[in-house]
Amino acid sequence: MEIREEYMRRALHLASKGAGRVSPNPMVGAVIVRGDKIIGEGWHRRCGEAHAEVNAVASVADKELLKDSTMYVTLEPCSHYGKTPPCAELIIRCGIPRVVVGVLDPFEKVSGRGVKMLRDAGVEIEVGLLEDECRKINRRFMAAHSQGRPFIMLKWAQSADGFMSRVDGTPVALSNPLSRMMMHRERSLYDAIMVGTTTVITDNPRLTVRDWCGDSPRCVTFNQHGRLPVDSHIACGERSIILTECLPLEEQMRRLYKEHGVTSLMVEGGACLLQSFINAGLYDDVRVEISTVVLGDGVKAPSLDCEKVLSQTIRGNEIHLKSS
């Protein structure tokens, strides 16, 4: 079959529309082509709703055209029954003869089974078109199912002289309105956000997405030694996850993934919690915001030596993105 990158790029663009809405599912886009014309397209809009392939097929006015078409899909079509039926079965039932897949799904219930189901039914399959791009758009999903723990971002803001708060733990406004809005957008892309018990006691944070239009992540914290205030926002939250057992951090992360379905986690602090993740080597990305504020003294920011991959300045504050 003739394969054209432009159609997979279109599928990638469609997939990106699901950002902040589909997790813990992956972002997926699908384009259906007949000849040199797109006759249908779709993307996964929200977790629990129809997948990209279903929406693409539904958008085709004349279903007979499907029998002489090619579907481009960024991620391997699913082969199992979850909240929705298998997309591979739909493709077979509709008689689509050719499918181009960007990247295989690492999720153990799919992982090559969708492609095998299609091939066994006589569908012509090509895998790997723009694979790097298709993998990158779902890097959190890919990492979680490959590592058996959530994709972890460590995030903090610090003063120009390297402090996160005042000596007594009193928080200081280090972000500016624009950098805070961008941080809330980032929050909307994660399944869950974690803070330590001391942060809950001193700040009583809500950990919601307030300055961006998106879904708020679940809240995660610890209640070891019964220190968590029962009237705190997190303790009272219906979607909160309270970790109580004294287990190694790595085991806690595996449980978050396996028992709670958390595929991406943002760790916001405080300093001791962040340093414990650093010491354990449990992180994938790091976001550090360096403010123009000078404190002179206070709680020191975590110490981390890793590769800086991107930097930008937002109204005077420097944002450094680093990778493990």
Side-chain angles (χ1 to χ4, degrees):
M1 75 178 96
E2 181 187 6
I3 298 175
R4 293 169 61 174
E5 288 188 358
E6 63 192 270
Y7 298 129
M8 188 62 79
R9 293 197 185 281
R10 174 60 182 168
L12 280 164
H13 173 72
L14 293 169
S16 69
K17 292 176 178 284
R21 301 292 187 184
V22 301
S23 190
N25 287 353
M27 293 178 282
V28 183
V31 171
I32 302 175
V33 180
R34 182 174 182 269
D36 59 356
K37 181 181 179 182
I38 293 177
I39 61 171
E41 57 184 31
W43 69 94
H44 186 31
R45 296 172 180 266
R46 183 177 285 275
C47 181
E49 296 183 3
H51 288 187
E53 300 93 324
V54 176
N55 290 328
V57 167
S59 73
V60 178
D62 184 356
K63 297 299 190 283
E64 285 298 311
L65 298 179
L66 293 171
K67 297 176 181 178
D68 183 31
S69 68
T70 301
M71 175 182 283
Y72 289 76
V73 59
T74 55
L75 185 70
E76 177 183 9
C78 61
S79 57
H80 67 294
Y81 282 87
K83 293 182 178 179
T84 59
C87 292
E89 283 189 3
L90 172 68
I91 292 169
I92 294 166
R93 190 166 62 250
C94 291
I96 298 173
R98 297 172 296 276
V99 176
V100 180
V101 175
V103 65
L104 294 179
D105 191 331
F107 183 46
E108 61 181 0
K109 292 184 178 179
V110 184
S111 194
R113 293 178 177 86
V115 164
K116 184 179 185 301
M117 181 183 291
L118 292 170
R119 281 193 174 128
D120 289 348
V123 177
E124 189 178 352
I125 297 285
E126 291 288 340
V127 178
L129 181 64
L130 300 184
E131 181 174 358
D132 289 345
E133 290 93 328
C134 292
R135 186 180 301 279
K136 184 176 181 180
I137 196 173
N138 283 310
R139 63 196 184 98
R140 299 180 185 94
F141 174 85
M142 294 284 181
H145 292 300
S146 299
Q147 298 174 150
R149 65 157 174 83
F151 178 98
I152 298 170
M153 171 186 266
L154 308 182
K155 171 265 176 185
W156 70 86
Q158 65 184 61
S159 65
D161 49 351
F163 299 103
M164 290 182 64
S165 62
R166 301 193 186 280
V167 176
D168 61 359
T170 304
V172 181
L174 298 173
S175 298
N176 58 53
L178 182 56
S179 67
R180 184 172 59 248
M181 181 188 72
M182 293 181 66
M183 191 62 250
H184 281 211
R185 175 191 178 277
E186 194 73 18
R187 277 184 180 181
S188 75
L189 302 178
Y190 281 76
D191 291 349
I193 185 168
M194 173 183 271
V195 294
T197 308
T198 300
T199 297
V200 177
I201 293 171
T202 57
D203 297 358
N204 193 19
R206 295 180 183 273
L207 303 179
T208 57
V209 175
R210 300 182 299 280
D211 296 331
W212 188 263
C213 182
D215 295 337
S216 293
R218 301 174 73 181
C219 300
V220 185
T221 193
F222 299 91
N223 191 25
Q224 294 171 353
H225 311 300
R227 295 176 59 231
L228 186 70
V230 295
D231 58 348
S232 63
H233 295 308
I234 291 180
C236 298
E238 294 181 359
R239 300 183 70 246
S240 296
I241 301 172
I242 311 300
L243 304 175
T244 57
E245 296 186 59
C246 294
L247 297 171
L249 196 55
E250 188 171 358
E251 178 62 24
Q252 298 276 28
M253 294 303 100
R254 285 197 291 266
R255 287 195 171 195
L256 271 184
Y257 166 77
K258 188 173 182 179
E259 298 177 10
H260 299 281
V262 175
T263 61
S264 56
L265 176 71
M266 178 182 290
V267 182
E268 282 210 0
C272 290
L273 179 66
L274 288 162
Q275 194 65 53
S276 68
F277 274 87
I278 293 170
N279 294 344
L282 282 172
Y283 60 92
D284 299 283
D285 278 358
V286 180
R287 182 189 190 275
V288 181
E289 179 173 354
I290 302 177
S291 174
T292 57
V293 174
V294 176
L295 292 180
D297 196 6
V299 176
K300 288 288 292 184
S303 174
L304 174 65
D305 182 20
C306 65
E307 181 184 359
K308 184 164 60 178
V309 294
L310 181 66
S311 296
Q312 63 181 139
T313 301
I314 301 176
R315 293 183 181 174
N317 283 11
E318 295 181 12
I319 311 294
H320 298 309
L321 299 178
K322 304 180 181 182
S323 183
S324 63

